[in-house]
Amino acid sequence: MDCIIMDVMMPVMDGLQAAKEIRKLSREDAKTIPMIALSANAFEEDRKKTREAGMNQHVSKPLDANQLFAILTQYKKQK
């Protein structure tokens, strides 16, 4: 199972813009690969921005490994 786990705050291109660019690629998997946002920002507005950028999930920092593993397991079962 492939998945992208991407920090929202990155130099040069932030994770939101990177997610939008990935979703626009002509590769078939670019439209369907699960993308999980990692961010210290946990407000609903932040979660909305990640969804609008094409990300499937939003995990807040500090990272809860159990939460991340549960999300990954969910996508693995869907595959």
Side-chain angles (χ1 to χ4, degrees):
M1 177 195 84
D2 293 327
C3 181
I4 297 172
I5 301 171
M6 187 174 335
D7 200 328
V8 173
M9 302 296 279
M10 299 187 306
V12 182
M13 180 184 295
D14 69 33
L16 300 176
Q17 187 61 40
K20 291 175 187 177
E21 294 299 318
I22 290 168
R23 292 296 188 210
K24 289 193 288 187
L25 293 173
S26 61
R27 293 175 47 140
E28 181 66 29
D29 60 348
K31 309 291 185 255
T32 60
I33 189 165
M35 281 196 265
I36 302 168
L38 289 180
S39 178
N41 301 323
F43 295 109
E44 184 54 38
E45 181 64 27
D46 302 305
R47 294 176 182 280
K48 181 180 176 190
K49 287 178 184 178
T50 58
R51 285 190 304 272
E52 289 172 350
M55 295 186 179
N56 302 87
Q57 297 282 339
H58 183 110
V59 177
S60 300
K61 296 177 187 175
L63 177 65
D64 177 344
N66 290 327
Q67 179 188 18
L68 181 59
F69 291 145
I71 291 169
L72 293 173
T73 300
Q74 168 192 343
Y75 285 109
K76 185 175 181 178
K77 288 180 180 178
Q78 289 177 3
K79 186 96 175 157

